Amino acid sequence: MKGYVFHGPGQSAWEEVPDPGIKEPTDVIVRVDAVSVCGTDLHILGGDVPDVPPGTVLGHEAVGEIVEVGGDVRTVQPGERVLVSCITACGRCRHCRAGRYGQCLGGGGWVLGHLIDGTQAEYVRVPYADLSVHPLPGTISDEDAVLLADVFPTAYEVGVQLGCVCPGDTVVVVGAGPIGLAAIITARLFAPERVVAVDASAARLGFARELGADAVAEAGEDPGQLVADLTDGAGADVVIEAVGRPETFELCTRMVGAGGHVANVGVHGGPATLHLEDLWSRDITLTTGLVDTRSTPTLLRMAVAGRLPGGRLITHTFPLGRMQEAYDVFGNAAETGALKVVLGGERREVVPAYAA
């Protein structure tokens, strides 16, 4: 088969790789029908995730069809269409038992496209399938479903839930890429008073308004002053960092109000300064996290019900064999206007919900 292989920082190629096979009785093999490129993949190629071994097939988000199952798999069978989660979970270790699948001690966590071959290929082996793939109804398209592999669970769990968004809050989302936009969408489920989006791109801020932001600020226009004006100087209740840069992290800590939450979602490749000299007395809660995907079944039900406009985040689609072109478009988003790029084969017919 072919897959998109990482050969070291700045080096990758769509090339022939060995077909995956069942290694453990809890494995499944999935034929990939739709796969997306994530900002984390760009961080890997940039050298920000040094524990990815050269020779690894990248990718951790996919939709596909089960073609083979291990002997201990009970919840799916060959021929089923499934969502492949970005996180795998053994289900037995102390972290998995607490719902912290991203911290799995039993060989799971974020392994696809990180420690083992991932989803940007024609086929992928998925460990611990009973907890790591989700059967899909025919009422949801591949394009909508693939955003539930990582984008929506990450924004919802690490941003909105860890940020403790509540009714009446002022929520600021710094970064209007796919994760930031998904954070805007899911934050609105909790009836905040207002959601403010901050980004350097006017085009992305336009998307943010379309998807529910009440106010927007370009990064160079002193967004802190806008937040102060909107809150009578009190600052934001929740600030979600969805970029992963020192300057955006520090901006978040300047905009949060006393008693507020800063929820860091962005992947940081270098150090950022935490100004405790300003924050120590203000009852600020700072959270970090790797997504656990425990919310995926709930988000899937909401997507099927039409409550998550996931497909609106997809700006570019490609056949699977044009992986390098997809990376080029996604990696040059300032010029191409890319938000989320999805690759796959022929589109499946989606069954209307009323026909089910």
Side-chain angles (χ1 to χ4, degrees):
M1 70 170 189
K2 285 193 171 183
Y4 193 69
V5 181
F6 171 73
H7 290 294
Q11 303 176 60
S12 55
W14 177 253
E15 61 188 45
E16 294 285 342
V17 294
D19 292 343
I22 297 291
K23 293 184 177 181
E24 301 291 341
T26 52
D27 292 347
V28 296
I29 306 299
V30 177
R31 185 196 70 216
V32 174
D33 293 334
V35 64
S36 54
V37 181
C38 179
T40 304
D41 299 321
L42 298 183
H43 280 284
I44 293 171
L45 290 174
D48 294 338
V49 191
D51 50 350
V52 179
T56 301
V57 175
L58 295 181
H60 50 268
E61 310 169 346
V63 169
E65 183 176 305
I66 302 283
V67 296
E68 188 177 355
V69 301
D72 288 349
V73 175
R74 296 290 180 265
T75 59
V76 291
Q77 57 189 353
E80 280 196 83
R81 177 171 167 254
V82 296
L83 170 69
V84 178
S85 175
C86 67
I87 298 295
T88 61
C90 76
R92 302 189 191 94
C93 72
R94 64 186 180 94
H95 287 316
C96 284
R97 287 177 179 271
R100 292 190 296 268
Y101 302 146
Q103 307 300 324
C104 176
L105 298 171
W110 174 37
V111 294
L112 290 171
H114 178 205
L115 304 178
I116 66 173
D117 285 339
T119 58
Q120 289 171 4
E122 295 174 315
Y123 294 87
V124 60
R125 177 181 71 90
V126 183
Y128 299 120
D130 282 337
L131 285 175
S132 307
V133 300
H134 303 269
L136 291 171
T139 53
I140 187 169
S141 69
D142 288 351
E143 290 84 357
D144 284 343
V146 76
L147 297 183
L148 300 173
D150 183 0
V151 171
F152 273 98
T154 296
Y156 179 60
E157 294 177 12
V158 187
V160 174
Q161 288 191 319
L162 288 184
C164 297
V165 175
C166 294
D169 278 353
T170 292
V171 178
V172 180
V173 179
V174 178
I179 294 290
L181 293 173
I184 291 169
I185 292 168
T186 51
R188 296 215 64 88
L189 299 172
F190 291 85
E193 179 180 357
R194 62 177 67 89
V195 177
V196 181
V198 179
D199 199 278
S201 165
R204 289 193 168 193
L205 292 176
F207 276 110
R209 278 200 180 276
E210 290 179 19
L211 294 171
D214 301 290
V216 300
E218 290 199 30
E221 295 181 347
D222 193 4
Q225 186 60 55
L226 172 64
V227 172
D229 291 344
L230 291 172
T231 61
D232 295 325
D237 301 290
V238 182
V239 186
I240 297 172
E241 202 286 342
V243 181
R245 294 179 182 171
E247 59 270 27
T248 53
F249 174 78
E250 292 177 37
L251 173 63
C252 291
T253 62
R254 292 197 300 271
M255 290 190 294
V256 69
H261 290 73
V262 175
N264 183 86
V265 187
V267 177
H268 290 265
T273 301
L274 178 63
H275 288 282
L276 285 176
E277 73 277 14
D278 298 325
L279 300 174
W280 71 271
S281 64
R282 297 177 57 210
D283 297 340
I284 304 300
T285 299
L286 169 65
T287 56
T288 67
L290 179 66
V291 64
D292 295 310
T293 67
R294 63 181 179 273
S295 67
T296 301
T298 298
L299 294 171
L300 177 56
R301 291 194 301 272
M302 295 180 68
V304 170
R307 297 293 303 279
L308 298 178
R312 293 171 66 182
L313 304 184
I314 298 170
T315 54
H316 296 75
T317 58
F318 300 88
L320 194 60
R322 290 165 60 187
M323 186 69 69
Q324 186 58 59
E325 182 180 352
Y327 263 87
D328 292 342
V329 167
F330 186 64
N332 293 283
E335 289 76 32
T336 63
L339 281 175
K340 198 67 174 171
V341 301
V342 174
L343 303 96
E346 295 183 4
R347 293 174 180 253
R348 288 175 176 266
E349 181 180 355
V350 178
V351 179
Y354 61 79

